């Protein structure tokens, strides 16, 4: 019995030395539970004071005391420290969102207004005759003539410009992304369709290079490395892997560049000139395009005599609106066709 009391006294001294036997108000319910558990184990098992201290240390690290702060419900963070600041931020956020919606609706209203004006003023003159004849022999305010020669000129000049720009632009883009690394790229009175095509290609090549290079950079390097690991040459990797993977994006880039140059007027006005008849030879003679035709017709004035029979003072403006409608429709069809081709060329489609 005396030995048991001595062991308990030693245990109490050890507990006080490590801070176990503190006041209940400072240790809390968890410490009291541990002390009760420790006393029960030491009295029932007749463990020594050293074993009891080791057991207490194990209980200390295994059972973490409950923190009453952790039971509190986490409240979502509020914007601002007080109600005034929170209201100001909510008001600013709402105002910015409303202004963005307003700007979007304004742009949409402008687009709808332009489309309505274009269709309402241009649809009246559109006819098979207007699309199939040229302006050869048409003068003054005669209600005759069409845009066939301008359509042919636009098609041929744009096609030649694309033939010049697309291969050159793609080759430059491939060189910049696959080979060059970070290297940077370094008779005035004569008029012809070829000169107009070259002028448009100067505008088109940077667009093709920039957009195609971005599409090629989107191809993961893992595909290139896997191809190199199989022993495939670099040129074969570029043709079979890189170009095949980015085919949809490259088509979109080319079509966007064509749609960008097809409405150019100033370069063609200087290089290809104006011509009122059909010219299918881009290497010789002047050639008119739809943008130049629109400019020419819209800026021309018509003066009809008092008793003129076949004279319409607004015929030139009507022709300009009709040609503009045809040009917009052609660009729309071109973009829709490009999206269809890009969808077919996409991987996994």
């Amino acid at each position: 019995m005396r030995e048991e009391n001595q062991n308990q006294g030693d245990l109490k001294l050890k507990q006080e030395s490590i801070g176990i036997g503190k006041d209940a108000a400072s240790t809390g319910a968890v410490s009291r539970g541990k002390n009760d558990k420790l006393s029960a184990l030491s009295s029932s098992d007749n463990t020594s004071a050293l074993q009891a201290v080791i057991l207490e240390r194990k209980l200390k690290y295994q059972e973490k005391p409950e923190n009453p702060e952790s039971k509190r419900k986490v409240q979502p963070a509020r914007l601002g420290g007080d109600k005034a600041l929170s209201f100001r931020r909510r008001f600013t956020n709402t105002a910015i969102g409303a202004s963005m919606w307003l700007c979007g609706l304004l742009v949409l209203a402008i687009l709808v207004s332009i489309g309505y004006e274009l269709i309402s003023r241009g649809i009246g003159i559109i006819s098979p005759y207007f699309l199939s004849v040229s302006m050869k022999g048409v003068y003054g305010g005669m209600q005759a003539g069409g845009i066939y020669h301008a359509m042919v000129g636009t098609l041929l000049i744009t096609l030649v410009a694309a033939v010049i720009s697309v291969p050159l632009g793609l080759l430059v883009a491939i060189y910049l992304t696959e080979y060059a690394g970070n290297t940077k790229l370094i008779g005035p009175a004569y008029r012809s369709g070829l000169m107009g095509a070259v002028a448009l290609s100067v505008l088109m090549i940077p667009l093709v290079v920039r957009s195609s290079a971005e599409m090629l950079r989107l191809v993961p390097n893992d595909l290139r490395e896997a191809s190199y690991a199989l022993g495939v040459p670099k040129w074969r990797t570029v043709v079979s892997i890189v170009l095949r993977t980015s085919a949809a994006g490259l088509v979109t880039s080319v079509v966007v560049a064509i749609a960008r140059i097809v409405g150019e007027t100033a370069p063609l006005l200087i290089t290809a000139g104006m011509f009122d008849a059909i010219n299918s030879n881009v290497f010789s003679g002047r050639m008119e395009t739809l943008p130049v035709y629109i400019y020419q017709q819209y800026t021309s004035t018509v003066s009809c005599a008092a008793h003129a029979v076949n004279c319409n003072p607004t015929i030139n403006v009507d022709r300009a609106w009709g040609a503009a409608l045809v040009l917009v429709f052609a660009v729309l069809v071109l973009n829709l066709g490009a999206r269809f081709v890009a969808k077919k060329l996409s991987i996994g489609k």
Side-chain angles (χ1 to χ4, degrees):
M1 190 69 176
R2 181 181 301 173
E3 184 180 20
E4 223 177 81
N5 294 334
Q6 184 177 0
N7 289 337
Q8 290 181 358
D10 294 339
L11 174 62
K12 186 175 181 182
L13 292 176
K14 294 290 184 179
Q15 290 175 346
E16 291 177 355
S17 64
I18 62 174
I20 297 179
K22 292 182 180 179
D23 187 77
S26 61
T27 57
V30 177
S31 298
R32 288 199 303 271
K34 289 183 181 179
N35 289 333
D36 294 339
K37 188 183 295 186
L38 181 61
S39 300
L41 288 174
S42 62
S43 60
S44 61
D45 298 337
N46 196 19
T47 57
S48 63
L50 182 59
Q51 292 174 340
V53 171
I54 295 174
L55 180 61
E56 173 60 24
R57 287 183 175 272
K58 289 182 179 180
L59 292 175
K60 178 181 178 181
Y61 289 103
Q62 290 178 358
E63 299 180 6
K64 295 182 179 180
E66 296 182 358
N67 187 6
E69 297 293 332
S70 61
K71 293 184 177 181
R72 294 182 181 179
K73 186 178 180 181
V74 179
Q75 299 293 334
R78 295 181 57 188
L79 294 177
D82 52 8
K83 294 182 178 180
L85 183 58
S86 178
F87 172 77
R88 188 180 68 180
R89 292 188 175 183
R90 289 198 303 269
F91 176 78
T92 303
N93 182 62
T94 304
I96 294 298
S99 63
M100 295 299 295
W101 276 100
L102 182 62
C103 292
L105 293 176
L106 180 61
V107 172
L108 182 61
I110 295 174
L111 180 62
V112 171
S113 175
I114 294 175
Y116 173 77
E117 185 75 11
L118 180 64
I119 294 174
S120 62
R121 301 190 63 172
I123 197 66
I125 199 172
I126 299 295
S127 65
Y129 171 80
F130 182 73
L131 299 176
S132 59
V133 299
S134 67
M135 293 293 293
K136 185 69 174 179
V138 178
Y139 57 91
M142 294 176 59
Q143 291 187 347
I147 61 171
Y148 181 72
H149 65 296
M151 293 172 58
V152 172
T154 300
L155 179 62
L156 293 178
I157 291 178
T158 305
L159 180 62
V160 174
V163 170
I164 297 173
S165 304
V166 173
L168 184 59
L170 288 178
L171 291 176
V172 173
I174 293 173
Y175 173 76
L176 291 176
T177 56
E178 303 297 328
Y179 294 93
N182 296 324
T183 304
K184 296 183 179 180
L185 189 64
I186 319 206
Y190 181 74
R191 301 288 184 272
S192 68
L194 181 61
M195 292 182 62
V198 173
L200 291 185
S201 66
V202 173
L203 300 176
M204 186 175 176
I205 288 175
L207 298 176
V208 176
V209 171
R210 182 61 178 171
S211 55
S212 300
E214 292 299 327
M215 292 298 106
L216 294 175
R217 289 192 181 98
L218 292 178
V219 178
N221 286 327
D222 296 340
L223 297 178
R224 298 181 177 89
E225 294 174 357
S227 179
Y228 299 152
L230 294 175
V232 179
K234 189 176 184 66
W235 70 268
R236 186 72 178 272
T237 301
V238 173
V239 174
S240 302
I241 304 298
V242 179
L243 293 182
R244 178 66 183 90
T245 305
S246 59
L250 295 178
V251 171
T252 304
S253 302
V254 171
V255 173
V256 169
I258 293 176
R260 167 65 179 81
I261 67 168
V262 76
E264 287 292 337
T265 305
L268 297 177
L269 189 62
I270 298 174
T271 57
M274 298 180 183
F275 195 54
D276 58 0
I278 300 172
N279 180 16
S280 301
N281 186 4
V282 296
F283 299 98
S284 176
R286 294 171 179 260
M287 182 176 290
E288 192 165 274
T289 59
L290 281 174
V292 176
Y293 177 87
I294 295 170
Y295 169 78
Q296 179 188 13
Q297 294 296 316
Y298 195 81
T299 56
S300 299
T301 58
V302 175
S303 299
C304 295
H307 302 288
V309 178
N310 188 19
C311 184
N312 184 358
T314 63
I315 187 63
N316 288 351
V317 177
D318 295 339
R319 292 195 196 104
W321 281 104
L325 180 59
V326 172
L327 181 60
V328 171
F329 181 76
V331 174
L332 178 62
V333 172
L334 186 63
N335 280 275
L336 292 178
R339 293 180 69 89
F340 176 77
V341 174
K343 185 178 180 180
K344 291 297 182 181
L345 293 177
S346 298
I347 300 296
K349 298 294 183 181

